[in-house]
Amino acid sequence: MNKYIFALFVLIVSGVSLQAQNTVQRISNSSYTNESSYFPRNEIRANLLMSVIGLLTFDYEYFVEDNFGVGLTGSISMLEKGDWDLRGLILPYGRLYFSRDPNAGFFIEGNTGLVFYSDDTPLFDNYGNYNGISNEETDVDFGIGVGTGYKLLTRNNWIGELQLGIGRVFGKNDFAVYPRVGISI
């Protein structure tokens, strides 16, 4: 079942990425030069580091200004439930870029979102004895986090990105943090 969900996710992301790279916005870059410049308004990235770890991660970012973007990260675990409790992430984020190049260079990020994790609660009988059965459910909690990184932009609008961050999960779970790390293209 996970293979079909993964294939559908890759198909949707591929279709959106082909369409996303067509939109280019002209801006007046008067704070640096008197010229106008062009930059893509949409960006889709695949996080290679998290995918190798076992959490398939894709990002979509829309650039509001030449130094600010908002985006959405979607992650789904490819590991078995017993191997890692984190099952998935849906994280909206905002980024502020500190570079002369539009939406490239050093950035800081704030994110919030939903964290899906497996909850293996042991079940007890009426006398308080553990009967060897666990109640395996997927729970959802709210999280908030920060991050920083650096984005390199090529002339033909391919990017490479290094990112490091962490988020705190609020709720009734034992899963207290979520990762926000990556090497993305």
Side-chain angles (χ1 to χ4, degrees), residues 13-65:
V13 167
S14 299
V16 170
S17 75
L18 291 174
Q19 187 66 21
Q21 298 305 322
N22 293 333
T23 307
V24 175
Q25 177 71 30
R26 182 178 177 167
I27 63 165
S28 174
N29 203 357
S30 61
S31 62
Y32 302 117
T33 65
N34 291 329
E35 302 175 2
S36 294
S37 62
Y38 292 90
F39 68 93
R41 283 286 191 172
N42 300 290
E43 187 174 278
I44 294 178
R45 295 181 300 274
N47 190 330
L48 303 177
L49 179 63
M50 292 300 288
S51 297
V52 168
I53 292 172
L55 194 63
L56 183 65
T57 304
F58 289 96
D59 290 302
Y60 169 76
E61 187 170 2
Y62 175 77
F63 301 112
V64 179
E65 295 289 332

Side-chain angles (χ1 to χ4, degrees), residues 11 40 57 64 67 70 88 90 92 94 102 128 143 149 152 154 159 162 171 179 185:
L11 183 65
T57 304
V64 179
N67 67 343
V70 293
I90 298 175
L152 300 167
T154 66
I159 62 109
L162 300 172
I185 59 168

Side-chain angles (χ1 to χ4, degrees), residues 29-166:
N29 203 357
S30 61
S31 62
Y32 302 117
T33 65
N34 291 329
E35 302 175 2
S36 294
S37 62
Y38 292 90
F39 68 93
R41 283 286 191 172
N42 300 290
E43 187 174 278
I44 294 178
R45 295 181 300 274
N47 190 330
L48 303 177
L49 179 63
M50 292 300 288
S51 297
V52 168
I53 292 172
L55 194 63
L56 183 65
T57 304
F58 289 96
D59 290 302
Y60 169 76
E61 187 170 2
Y62 175 77
F63 301 112
V64 179
E65 295 289 332
D66 65 340
N67 67 343
F68 181 72
V70 293
L72 183 68
T73 297
S75 300
I76 187 167
S77 178
M78 297 174 50
L79 301 174
E80 297 294 325
K81 281 191 177 183
D83 293 340
W84 196 10
D85 288 341
L86 183 62
R87 305 310 307 153
L89 299 167
I90 298 175
L91 301 174
Y93 61 86
R95 285 187 176 172
L96 184 61
Y97 293 90
F98 299 94
S99 175
R100 291 188 172 209
D101 297 327
N103 300 311
F106 176 75
F107 64 85
I108 59 173
E109 172 186 298
N111 62 64
T112 183
L114 301 175
V115 180
F116 301 88
Y117 62 95
S118 63
D119 184 17
D120 297 333
T121 306
L123 297 177
F124 296 93
D125 62 12
N126 293 339
Y127 302 106
N129 298 323
Y130 176 62
N131 58 11
I133 301 172
S134 294
N135 185 16
E136 294 183 18
E137 295 180 354
T138 301
D139 287 337
V140 181
D141 276 335
F142 174 77
I144 190 167
V146 296
T148 187
Y150 194 84
K151 184 191 297 185
L152 300 167
L153 181 65
T154 66
R155 282 183 238 172
N156 58 356
N157 290 330
W158 280 88
I159 62 109
E161 179 180 285
L162 300 172
Q163 178 182 15
L164 180 62
I166 193 164

